[in-house]
Amino acid sequence: KAGVTQTPRYLIKTRGQQVTLSCSPISGHRSVSWYQQTPGQGLQFLFEYFSETQRNKGNFPGRFSGRQFSNSRSEMNVSTLELGDSALYLCASSEDRRNYEQYFGPGTRLTVT
Amino acid sequence: GQNIDQPTEMTATEGAIVQINCTYQTSGFNGLFWYQQHAGEAPTFLSYNVLDGLEEKGRFSSFLSRSKGYSYLLLKELQMKDSASYLCAYKVSGGYNKLIFGAGTRLAVHP
C-alpha cells in the first residue's frame, strides 16, 4: 500500500496570503489528523476529520480550517498568513477512530516571508 | 490542563542502553505513544501503551505507569541509525485521534 502523501512538499508564501495543503491518506483509512510542527512548540494538534466531519479541534485561531472529501482526502487552509505560521504541517491517517496507530505523511514545509 | 515533559537531549554510545523518560499531567488519558523522527522526515510509530507495564518489541521497550503519569522508552543495543528525536504523546480521553505531544528528545548515538 502506498503511504500517506502530502502536496506540495515545500511552499513559500508572503504575509497576508492564504494557502491550501493537501493530504491523501493510506487507502482504506478514513481518519485524517493534521499537526503543526515548529522548533519552539513541537508537534501540535490542529484538527481531525472522519467521514467528512471535523471531530476534534486544537487551540488554533479560526484562520486555520480544513475539510475532508468523500474519498477521505483532506485539505487544510490557512488564511491571512502570519510569519509565525512558518512550520512543517503533517497529516496522519488511521483506519478508523478506534484504531490507535496513526501513519504520518512526509509533511509540507511552509515558509511565510 | 495538559502537560507533557521529556528531556531535550541525550547522548549515548553505540551498543549501550538508553532510557528516555516522559511525564504527563492530564485530566483525561487514553494511552501513551512513542514515535521516532529522523531529521527532515515524518514521525514513525514505535509503541502504544494503554495499560500499566512493559511492552517489548525487539530492541525497543516502552513502560507505562498511569498512577504516576510516567512512561519511558528503552532502547537496547544502540545503533548509529537510532540517532533521532523521540516523541512521546498521549491520546486525549474521548478525543479519539487527538494526540498531545511532548517537545521531543534528541538522541545522539556516538561510536
Side-chain angles (χ1 to χ4, degrees):
Chain A
K1 274 186 183 178
V4 179
T5 57
Q6 292 186 246
T7 56
R9 293 292 312 279
Y10 302 92
L11 204 50
I12 300 175
K13 291 284 188 178
T14 55
R15 273 184 304 175
Q17 287 186 312
Q18 68 131 25
V19 66
T20 299
L21 312 181
S22 180
C23 172
S24 292
I26 292 172
S27 177
H29 285 198
R30 298 190 295 157
S31 171
V32 174
S33 299
W34 287 90
Y35 293 84
Q36 181 196 64
Q37 187 173 33
T38 59
Q41 299 294 322
L43 262 164
Q44 292 186 284
F45 175 83
L46 279 156
F47 26 65
E48 180 209 3
Y49 284 88
F50 181 80
S51 291
E52 301 176 63
T53 302
Q54 187 180 92
R55 304 291 179 158
N56 273 300
K57 193 176 193 311
N59 296 326
F60 280 82
R63 299 185 297 106
F64 291 81
S65 64
R67 59 178 175 167
Q68 187 180 35
F69 302 95
S70 58
N71 62 357
S72 295
R73 189 178 70 86
S74 177
E75 289 181 346
M76 67 163 280
N77 184 278
V78 188
S79 61
T80 320
L81 283 166
E82 300 177 0
L83 295 179
D85 297 333
S86 295
L88 180 66
Y89 290 88
L90 293 158
C91 80
S93 77
S94 63
E95 286 188 38
D96 59 41
R97 305 195 72 210
R98 292 166 296 176
N99 188 279
Y100 62 80
E101 191 163 343
Q102 292 188 65
Y103 297 85
F104 282 84
T108 294
R109 172 75 61 187
L110 172 65
T111 302
V112 182
T113 61
Chain B
Q2 299 170 331
N3 193 23
I4 181 164
D5 292 306
Q6 52 183 128
T8 304
E9 290 186 1
M10 298 182 72
T11 59
T13 306
E14 195 175 14
I17 299 172
V18 71
Q19 178 174 312
I20 303 175
N21 296 324
C22 173
T23 58
Y24 62 90
Q25 290 178 306
T26 179
S27 54
F29 173 85
N30 197 21
L32 195 290
F33 292 79
W34 284 95
Y35 281 83
Q36 180 191 59
Q37 186 177 27
H38 285 99
E41 297 182 12
T44 55
F45 170 83
L46 289 177
S47 69
Y48 172 62
N49 294 66
V50 65
L51 299 176
D52 289 354
L54 186 69
E55 296 270 348
E56 297 187 75
K57 197 187 286 187
R59 293 190 301 115
F60 293 4
S61 303
S62 57
F63 171 83
L64 175 67
S65 169
R66 288 172 297 171
S67 62
K68 295 181 180 176
Y70 168 69
S71 173
Y72 68 73
L73 180 70
L74 194 70
L75 292 77
K76 304 175 191 173
E77 301 168 17
L78 281 171
Q79 302 174 10
M80 299 296 289
K81 68 178 182 180
D82 297 329
S83 293
S85 284
Y86 292 85
L87 310 170
C88 70
Y90 66 80
K91 180 180 277 197
V92 176
S93 177
Y96 292 97
N97 284 323
K98 180 175 181 178
L99 298 184
I100 306 299
F101 279 85
T105 298
R106 221 165 25 250
L107 173 66
V109 180
H110 299 290

